[in-house]
Amino acid sequence: MADEQGGPDMVSFRELARRLVAEKIVETISHQRVSQLSREDPSFPPVVPVGRSNVVDWHLARPYFETREKRQGQRTDLIRKRASASESGEQQDHDDPSTED
């Protein structure tokens, strides 16, 4: 699979996800999540379009995922709602004891 000369080992997002799980770099990941990271994370390795697919060099992607800070379970949709509420002056958390009379 890998080039013995040390050249690039280009893999699709689907193959990248499969390898990451097979080598126990991540517990689970889908090719859709890989695609999302490629669009949203500026430190994601360079993506090369090949036909209708995107590929990435395994030798660059592996260290990216090994060192990537994982934030599983973070609800970014709620963070945006809280930020909007605080900008508009709305009370978001009704169970906050510091606001009791």
Side-chain angles (χ1 to χ4, degrees):
M1 249 186 228
D3 185 351
E4 296 298 323
Q5 302 298 326
D9 182 10
M10 304 305 282
V11 294
S12 67
F13 288 172
R14 188 175 300 274
E15 175 63 12
L16 176 58
R18 187 198 67 75
R19 285 190 192 187
L20 291 169
V21 172
E23 295 197 17
K24 299 184 183 349
I25 295 168
V26 297
E27 187 175 323
T28 181
I29 193 167
S30 67
H31 68 277
Q32 294 95 336
R33 177 66 176 142
V34 172
S35 179
Q36 180 183 25
L37 288 170
S38 75
R39 291 187 310 270
E40 296 177 358
D41 188 348
S43 64
F44 195 86
V47 175
V48 179
V50 176
R52 292 177 54 189
S53 297
N54 289 319
V55 296
V56 66
D57 184 355
W58 169 248
H59 301 298
L60 299 175
R62 181 181 181 154
Y64 166 82
F65 280 97
E66 287 174 333
T67 59
R68 183 174 169 274
E69 182 181 330
K70 296 159 189 70
R71 297 175 303 191
Q72 297 171 345
Q74 184 174 4
R75 295 284 307 269
T76 56
D77 58 329
L78 295 178
I79 291 170
R80 280 185 239 126
K81 286 180 184 175
R82 286 186 192 130
S84 296
S86 65
E87 289 172 5
S88 66
E90 294 177 16
Q91 178 66 33
Q92 190 69 22
D93 190 357
H94 299 291
D95 296 328
D96 185 357
S98 65
T99 60
E100 292 180 8
D101 294 16

